[in-house]
Amino acid sequence: MKFIRLTLMALLMTVATASHAKQVLEPHVYMFGFSGSFTDSLIYMTDIQDVQLVWMDSKTKFLIGRDYYSEQLKTFLSEQKQQPNRVCVVFFAKSKKKAEKQFLKLRKKYLTNKKNTSSYDVRYITQQEFKFEPVDANEE
């Protein structure tokens, strides 16, 4: 009986871990970038952009190629703004309302503190200055 239980558990674990998520092409997502540095108080935030034809993981609903999108922002800041060695993060959502909520929450965090003063210099990057380019999932 114990052998049958162990065999069934092993079979169940194999089936559970063998199911792979598929890559799904989404028509668009709303995305914005954030950049900070450990050496200064300068913060960069991009506009919320509608990025067309992006790949998402069907199981986790996570954006595929997030590192490439953040690398695009890092390259822009390094070359155009002469701001090398920055930490860049990309936030995304399927609806504009959710993206705006994330954007406002993050902006509020860096614009005000407990004393209603800011120790950060927040600068905005418009869509005319920088635009995210779609990443092909096959390149990954």
Side-chain angles (χ1 to χ4, degrees):
M1 186 69 167
K2 192 174 186 180
F3 176 73
I4 294 173
R5 272 194 207 159
L6 289 175
T7 306
L8 286 174
M9 288 296 283
L11 182 62
L12 181 64
M13 292 295 286
T14 304
V15 171
T17 57
S19 63
H20 293 288
K22 296 179 184 177
Q23 294 179 353
V24 178
L25 186 63
E26 289 288 328
H28 65 92
V29 295
Y30 295 94
M31 182 184 307
F32 69 93
F34 171 85
S35 175
S37 176
F38 295 112
T39 60
D40 63 17
S41 62
L42 187 58
I43 302 293
Y44 285 100
M45 294 180 76
T46 69
D47 286 342
I48 298 173
Q49 301 177 14
D50 184 3
V51 182
Q52 305 291 320
L53 300 175
V54 297
W55 291 91
M56 296 191 77
D57 187 293
S58 64
K59 190 174 187 179
T60 61
K61 305 292 185 217
F62 227 59
L63 184 68
I64 295 173
R66 293 176 313 281
D67 52 341
Y68 290 110
Y69 290 110
S70 58
E71 188 63 35
Q72 289 176 19
L73 179 57
K74 187 174 184 171
T75 301
F76 168 78
L77 291 171
S78 179
E79 294 174 359
Q80 302 296 321
K81 302 283 186 180
Q82 286 73 41
Q83 293 288 327
N85 306 321
R86 305 208 45 98
V87 177
C88 296
V89 182
V90 174
F91 294 85
F92 69 96
K94 284 188 175 183
S95 73
K96 189 167 186 172
K97 187 175 182 179
K98 286 183 182 179
E100 286 173 345
K101 187 176 179 180
Q102 289 177 331
F103 182 85
L104 293 174
K105 184 178 179 181
L106 188 64
R107 185 178 73 172
K108 183 180 178 185
K109 187 176 202 173
Y110 287 97
L111 282 179
T112 60
N113 60 16
K114 292 178 183 176
K115 297 178 183 176
N116 288 332
T117 60
S118 177
S119 58
Y120 297 100
D121 181 11
V122 180
R123 297 186 186 174
Y124 301 98
I125 300 170
T126 64
Q127 196 165 349
Q128 288 76 24
E129 291 178 275
F130 170 76
K131 185 171 172 78
F132 288 108
E133 296 298 324
V135 173
D136 186 8
N138 297 327
E139 292 176 3
E140 277 197 13

